[in-house]
Amino acid sequence: MTKIYSLEEIDIVAQEILNISELKKVITFNAEMGAGKTTLIKALVKHLGVKDNSSSPTFSLVNEYETENGEVIYHFDLYRLNSEIEAYDMGIDEYFYSGNWCFIEWPNKTPNLIPIDHASISIKVLENGKRELTINN
């Protein structure tokens, strides 16, 4: 699926992503800094039923959210990660294989730890300020 959207349409895009048949629960987000990865993840988390404010886990590497029905969602920002060993030592593989939603920013920091069976979202900022999103499930 490829979609061009403005930030004002982020909620619609998030719902369209979640409506994808058999969407994988581990999703990587690939984009340059400031392209809107965290903004899209916030919208996804909201549509999944999280009422608390969500934010980027830049300093903690992972934020955990709970939906209204008790489902757990993990949001990773691996930008500050120094090595895959550091990620492995924090037990990142247990998160990835937990069966819970895992939204992963900067997955290129742990290429050997990302499950083979995952979805991938790429976001590109267009000259007019809109975003081009491509998802591979």
Side-chain angles (χ1 to χ4, degrees):
M1 168 178 128
T2 299
K3 178 88 175 168
I4 305 228
Y5 65 97
S6 66
L7 291 179
E8 292 78 25
E9 300 169 298
I10 196 84
D11 285 322
I12 295 166
V13 172
Q15 191 58 60
E16 288 178 7
I17 291 168
L18 293 173
N19 287 342
I20 292 173
S21 178
E22 299 182 33
L23 179 64
K24 293 174 177 65
K25 286 188 140 186
V26 175
I27 305 174
T28 60
F29 292 79
N30 302 284
E32 294 180 16
M33 185 84 67
K37 297 179 297 292
T38 300
T39 303
L40 178 56
I41 291 171
K42 285 180 180 184
L44 290 166
V45 165
K46 181 178 94 175
H47 282 277
L48 287 168
V50 173
K51 295 297 182 197
D52 296 334
N53 286 334
S54 55
S55 62
S56 178
T58 301
F59 297 102
S60 63
L61 297 179
V62 62
N63 281 350
E64 182 178 318
Y65 310 114
E66 188 172 333
T67 67
E68 293 175 311
N69 63 2
E71 189 174 13
V72 176
I73 301 168
Y74 299 113
H75 175 190
F76 298 87
D77 184 332
L78 304 179
Y79 183 75
R80 297 194 189 284
L81 200 64
N82 294 314
S83 69
E84 283 190 320
I85 293 170
E86 184 181 341
Y88 190 77
D89 286 346
M90 71 170 264
I92 206 164
D93 56 326
E94 292 179 29
Y95 291 104
F96 290 172
Y97 292 96
S98 67
N100 294 313
W101 289 100
C102 291
F103 300 134
I104 308 162
E105 297 184 54
W106 304 102
N108 58 322
K109 295 285 196 157
T110 60
N112 299 307
L113 300 177
I114 304 292
I116 292 171
D117 193 27
H118 72 278
S120 175
I121 291 178
S122 296
I123 303 170
K124 183 171 31 173
V125 180
L126 304 177
E127 287 184 20
N128 62 6
K130 290 191 175 191
R131 280 27 180 196
E132 179 181 73
L133 177 143
T134 304
I135 184 165
N136 294 308
N137 190 31

